Amino acid sequence: MASQVATPTSLQTTATSSSTSLSSAGLSPSSPALLSPDDVELLAKLEQQNKLLETDSKSLRSMNGSRRNSGSSLVSSSSASSNLSHLEEDTWIMWGRIVNEWEEVRKKKEKMLKDLVRKGIPHHFRAIVWQLLCTAQNMPIKDQYSELLKMTSPCEKLIRRDIARTYPEHDFFKEKDSSGQEVLFNVMKAYSLVDREVGYCQGSAFIVGLLLMQMPEEEAFCVFVKLMQDYRLRELFKPSMAELGLCMYQFESMIQEQLPELHIHFQAQSFHTSMYASSWFLTIFLTSFPLPVATRIFDIFMCEGLEIVFRVGLAILQMNQTELIQLDMEGMLQHFQRVIPHQLDSGPDKVITAAYQVKYNGKKMKK
């Protein structure tokens, strides 16, 4: 399986070779300033590249396509103008150096790293950067993975039943008994054995499936373990789902405070938050939005945690408030399922920009 993917090792090699000739490029973590002029310029170039990529439907399709192509450039050959090639090269150089100097960059240039992640991690670098963001590399549990696969899990029948429903239109997963379905089963089974309390929870396979589009199964397993432990996901997926109830309460409080008219309308229609927002939290929008958009949001989730789900969720409601207020419960359900996903076909930049204009008070949320 590993041969099909740009593995962390190969990316590390790329990063090392990139950095040797770029020691003067201004991304040195020892720089006293938070952002050097070169950093600012590259950030601007990255933003420009994202705009070019998102107007190129072929590049969007390639990102949403077969995992067999996951080692190839996100930029399609038809769009590889010299301008885009230079932008892509700059992006590679910057991310190569970030990966190579990760600990220093994480400590001393955290704001710059957040800004870059919000603009999107280049497809080639996602495997290694996601592992670095959640500190999933070199986990001892990775050595247990092959042994776990030899064991029997009480959840196997349930996992098998749901596998075919996970990304049913994606080339890597859609064929019955395909290698994609097999590795997805393996990771879900292994996790159900190491965490008997949670076992298997419907919805978690979408997160694992996304990880498997980026990296081999052993690495995907380690990242999933980390996400469950450190990103509130384990609490969300516990049988009681008490944490999901808490998220619904917190999200509803944000609506009441920031979109009072919509909140009153939802109440009048008995349109409960869980009816549309549960899947947002349980699958980080992977079952609600186009895959390229959800993947960009997942980049931010890996860096900043569940806060981005609250932010994007409220931004979506703000963008649709006028239409929603005119609909009854059935109409609103249809709107969430059929209209909102297509609003994001042009890419994630608009909703991500709106998300960071949403008021989010971390202390208040904890309280």
Side-chain angles (χ1 to χ4, degrees):
M1 292 306 305
S3 63
Q4 295 177 356
V5 192
T7 63
T9 310
S10 65
L11 286 169
Q12 186 69 41
T13 309
T14 305
T16 309
S17 61
S18 304
S19 65
T20 50
S21 60
L22 295 160
S23 55
S24 61
L27 190 60
S28 169
S30 58
S31 305
L34 190 62
L35 283 176
S36 72
D38 283 349
D39 292 339
V40 173
E41 185 185 349
L42 281 174
L43 273 167
K45 285 180 177 178
L46 183 59
E47 190 162 13
Q48 187 184 348
Q49 183 190 15
N50 274 333
K51 284 175 183 169
L52 283 165
L53 286 174
E54 277 157 11
T55 55
D56 180 359
S57 61
K58 288 185 180 173
S59 65
L60 284 174
R61 281 201 298 276
S62 75
M63 190 173 174
N64 198 7
S66 163
R67 182 169 172 268
R68 288 193 300 272
N69 297 328
S70 64
S72 62
S73 173
L74 177 59
V75 185
S76 64
S77 57
S78 64
S79 67
S81 63
S82 58
N83 185 31
L84 188 53
S85 298
H86 287 133
L87 290 168
E88 190 187 25
E89 188 179 345
D90 285 340
T91 307
W92 266 77
I93 289 166
M94 184 174 230
W95 277 103
R97 297 199 64 219
I98 285 170
V99 167
N100 200 45
E101 302 170 355
W102 182 260
E103 291 305 321
E104 290 293 321
V105 172
R106 189 88 192 251
K107 283 178 195 169
K108 298 184 180 179
K109 294 204 169 185
E110 189 178 4
K111 184 181 183 304
M112 186 203 73
L113 183 61
K114 269 188 179 181
D115 287 343
L116 279 169
V117 171
R118 288 175 188 179
K119 292 176 190 303
I121 300 167
H123 188 51
H124 285 85
F125 285 94
R126 276 204 172 100
I128 182 63
V129 173
W130 283 3
Q131 289 177 70
L132 289 167
L133 283 168
C134 69
T135 62
Q137 68 280 33
N138 306 319
M139 286 176 69
I141 201 168
K142 186 177 179 181
D143 299 329
Q144 300 173 31
Y145 184 73
S146 57
E147 292 304 311
L148 289 166
L149 296 187
K150 296 173 188 173
M151 298 164 66
T152 302
S153 164
C155 304
E156 287 187 23
K157 198 173 279 187
L158 199 57
I159 297 169
R160 283 279 181 215
R161 187 196 70 189
D162 282 346
I163 290 293
R165 305 175 190 174
T166 307
Y167 300 113
E169 296 176 3
H170 195 288
D171 287 351
F172 187 51
F173 298 108
K174 68 182 180 185
E175 298 296 331
K176 192 177 185 300
D177 301 324
S178 64
S179 58
Q181 289 196 8
E182 202 52 40
V183 291
L184 182 55
F185 173 81
N186 287 347
V187 176
M188 300 311 303
K189 170 186 164 179
Y191 185 81
S192 72
L193 288 163
V194 298
D195 186 352
R196 302 273 181 164
E197 184 184 1
V198 171
Y200 165 73
C201 185
Q202 194 175 14
S204 57
F206 284 93
I207 292 171
V208 173
L210 180 69
L211 299 177
L212 288 167
M213 292 177 208
Q214 319 296 329
M215 61 190 80
E217 60 185 285
E218 294 89 345
E219 279 83 357
F221 171 66
C222 291
V223 171
F224 185 61
V225 169
K226 271 292 190 180
L227 292 180
M228 293 294 274
Q229 289 174 350
D230 299 346
Y231 286 70
R232 283 176 78 181
L233 288 190
R234 186 174 185 275
E235 301 304 312
L236 282 172
F237 285 122
K238 274 184 179 177
S240 69
M241 290 196 157
E243 190 78 3
L244 181 61
L246 173 60
C247 286
M248 294 299 98
Y249 173 73
Q250 290 174 315
F251 190 58
E252 190 173 339
S253 299
M254 286 178 72
I255 300 167
Q256 186 173 4
E257 185 181 314
Q258 298 184 45
L259 300 170
E261 282 184 64
L262 189 60
H263 180 256
I264 290 166
H265 179 66
F266 281 171
Q267 285 194 315
Q269 293 291 326
S270 300
F271 191 60
H272 302 294
T273 314
S274 58
M275 293 170 75
Y276 63 92
S278 292
S279 64
W280 292 355
F281 286 87
L282 290 171
T283 68
I284 322 298
F285 299 108
L286 288 165
T287 55
S288 308
F289 293 174
L291 189 55
V293 175
T295 306
R296 279 280 304 279
I297 294 169
F298 205 87
D299 285 341
I300 302 170
F301 169 71
M302 294 294 291
C303 185
E304 302 180 32
L306 271 182
E307 180 181 322
I308 189 59
V309 182
F310 287 97
R311 287 184 172 279
V312 169
L314 205 74
I316 288 290
L317 294 182
Q318 283 174 338
M319 290 161 63
N320 288 273
Q321 179 173 216
T322 305
E323 291 84 356
L324 289 168
I325 283 175
Q326 296 169 19
L327 299 169
D328 60 10
M329 182 197 285
E330 185 61 36
M332 288 190 286
L333 281 171
Q334 296 284 335
H335 192 83
F336 277 101
Q337 290 167 6
R338 296 181 182 177
V339 178
I340 288 174
H342 291 296
Q343 293 173 346
L344 304 171
D345 281 345
S346 61
D349 280 353
K350 185 180 176 183
V351 74
I352 289 173
T353 301
Y356 282 100
Q357 290 164 359
V358 166
K359 293 173 190 168
Y360 182 91
N361 187 325
K363 287 182 181 176
K364 193 171 185 180
M365 295 291 271
K366 282 182 183 174
K367 188 177 175 182

